[in-house]
Amino acid sequence: MAQALAQPQHVRRSFAPPLLIMSCRPRTHEVFVTRDACGTNGTGRSSSYGSNGVPPDLRSFLPPYGGGAKDPIKLSQVDTPWAAAPGSSHWSLLGRSLSVFAYPALAPFAVGVRCRATVDNAQWWVHGFSILALTTGLLSHGIVWWNWAHSWTWSTCLLHFVTFLSVAHPFIWCAIIASQLTEILAVDRGSNRLARSALHGPKVLIVGNGPSALDGEQLGHVVDTFDEVVRFNNFQTKVAGLEKWVGTKTTVHFSDGVLYPTYREYHVPGATIMLSLIMDSFIVAGSYVVMRMGADLQTRLALRFLKDPQVGFIEKDRIERLKRGLGLTGVKHPTSGMLAIDQFLSMEGVELPIYIHGFDFFMGKKVHYFDEQEPLYERINDRIGVNMHSPVKEKVYVEKLIAEGKVKFLKDYRDVSQKPQT
């Protein structure tokens, strides 16, 4: 075990069936990701460097398929490239449709399994899910054959296919995902910028996705003056006009299990990426893999992204400490916004108060300030996700931080009257 963990992650390999390997073929529309030391092109703003998204002066340092850069100075700036792809495609539509059959079989595990996200537990579940796939598959197909399908016809083949999608198929995927988690959880995340406490500066603004971000005075020019601008999931700044309220700068991108930074629509080159709850439990870690890898059939992209050492994870201890502070129990967990506030409050060099903007705690009818531009699939995920949080408890917690002088709303920023630079 110790020898296995000591090997570089590029050396270790997990089982992947031929079907998955076929789905990993390169696509011509991929945009390679690069990072520089100061966010995007030194500014934290989105920028374009041609068809592959790589600055010309750094292209020579990019390995073609997962190798490390040779120059030790450039290694801190450019890591193994992964490809940002469109959020929706024919493949993702197919995968999301077929994944619906798996929900009933996986629901008990989502609620009942609370073991930690560790390599040892992932290895145990590789065997556990493999055994479940074999036994439940044989049993379910045997029952179908005995009761309804005594001969091979189109209808009986369809019945067996639906049975496979509903019973064995989910556990096969879970075994594959558990196998991949043995590698993902073993990656050293110490090179992540926030893990190194390498701030761009002391002034921090955390921009939530609440509708209040578009209320009142247009503060986009103020947003872009902060050293660190933190955003979440499928935030919108590229829609015409929204930047007047929410700005354009992004230095940190927190994401849930949908892995929005891998969506071309929401990807910001150069932004430091943090996955909020992947370390909460083994099942939650699996959900971070299954959404993009299984449901969207973006296998290669999801695995490259999750094995990128510069993609940071919020530590399990921090998540549990915040849960206790909020009084959360059961399957409830903190929002990415609360985790971001907690993360920066504990970082050395951060100037207090931390400013927040667009934090509504899901109190209104709208979930996000960009609801009208949000695809249906993402709106459904939003509604499901809200039920996993405790907005009222988070509101009380933030009000306490405001009373202590640790947090303020952006509308109370002392330089709010400054005008955009021309």
Side-chain angles (χ1 to χ4, degrees), residues 18-19 32 74 87 106 130-131 135-136 162 180 274 304 357 372 389:
L19 177 61
F32 285 106
K74 296 295 183 181
L106 299 181
S130 298
I131 293 171
T135 55
T136 59
V162 172
Q180 292 297 332
M274 298 296 295
R304 280 190 170 190
H357 186 47
E372 290 78 7
H389 305 304

Side-chain angles (χ1 to χ4, degrees), residues 60-77:
S60 61
F61 296 98
L62 282 176
Y65 289 103
K70 296 180 179 180
D71 190 317
I73 297 177
K74 296 295 183 181
L75 182 60
S76 65
Q77 299 178 323

Side-chain angles (χ1 to χ4, degrees), residues 223-350:
V223 170
D224 291 343
T225 65
F226 280 79
D227 301 310
E228 297 283 0
V229 179
V230 185
R231 301 184 194 267
F232 303 96
N233 296 324
N234 55 340
F235 70 89
Q236 297 276 3
T237 61
K238 300 176 183 178
V239 177
L242 290 183
E243 69 276 2
K244 296 177 182 178
W245 278 272
V246 297
T248 60
K249 187 174 184 178
T250 304
T251 62
V252 182
H253 190 175
F254 274 73
S255 179
D256 59 19
V258 184
L259 304 186
Y260 285 112
T262 67
Y263 285 44
R264 183 186 294 174
E265 300 89 323
Y266 311 119
H267 169 64
V268 180
T272 299
I273 297 170
M274 298 296 295
L275 301 187
S276 307
L277 288 162
I278 190 169
M279 298 304 294
D280 187 35
S281 68
F282 169 75
I283 291 298
V284 172
S287 73
Y288 273 69
V289 185
V290 73
M291 295 291 286
R292 199 69 164 130
M293 173 180 167
D296 285 358
L297 297 180
Q298 290 282 358
T299 307
R300 182 178 188 171
L301 167 56
L303 295 181
R304 280 190 170 190
F305 173 79
L306 290 167
K307 294 175 185 179
D308 182 350
Q310 292 198 40
V311 174
F313 296 173
I314 298 294
E315 305 92 338
K316 170 69 171 176
D317 291 344
R318 179 178 298 279
I319 296 171
E320 291 302 320
R321 185 169 61 251
L322 186 55
K323 282 183 180 180
R324 291 192 296 270
L326 293 169
L328 302 182
T329 58
V331 297
K332 298 287 187 179
H333 50 245
T335 60
S336 295
M338 280 306 311
L339 287 164
I341 292 173
D342 185 69
Q343 173 82 25
F344 280 95
L345 282 177
S346 66
M347 291 183 66
E348 185 177 353
V350 171

